[in-house]
Amino acid sequence: MPNTVTLEELEHLAAQLPPEERLKLAAHICEQLSAAVIYPEAGQMKDMRLGLAEELLAECDEIEDDSQGKFDAAHDIRQMRAARAK
């Protein structure tokens, strides 16, 4: 098991580094934290996308497709015009 270091010990060690190296360390830590906080893990993203896809498919299944079967567009237009004329 690796040795654990307290925050105080780490601060003491970091203080021994030259300023340029401390800046690199701080940038590296910030980069790691930003990636961990901002971007979910790949598995989480995949799960989120699959969930959204399933929701979309469920919505599509609920939409009634009225384009199936026979229809007469000219007849439908005549009926709409007649209804407006009343």
Side-chain angles (χ1 to χ4, degrees):
M1 184 183 279
N3 294 335
T4 58
V5 179
T6 66
L7 179 60
E8 291 79 18
E9 292 171 329
L10 185 58
E11 288 173 343
H12 179 71
L13 289 172
Q16 296 175 22
L17 293 171
E20 297 84 19
E21 292 296 313
R22 288 194 319 207
L23 189 58
K24 286 180 186 178
L25 177 62
H28 184 72
I29 291 170
C30 288
E31 185 179 296
Q32 286 180 334
L33 288 173
S34 294
V37 172
I38 294 173
Y39 305 108
E41 294 184 25
Q44 289 175 331
M45 283 297 279
K46 183 178 178 183
D47 291 342
M48 287 171 43
R49 287 185 181 137
L50 285 174
L52 289 173
E54 288 173 4
E55 287 177 29
L56 180 59
L57 287 173
E59 285 183 32
C60 289
D61 287 341
E62 292 175 7
I63 297 173
E64 183 177 338
D65 185 4
D66 61 357
S67 66
Q68 308 240 341
K70 295 181 182 180
F71 63 95
D72 183 358
H75 176 72
D76 292 343
I77 292 171
R78 279 190 222 104
Q79 283 185 329
M80 286 187 280
R81 285 183 181 163
R84 273 188 267 156
K86 290 183 181 182

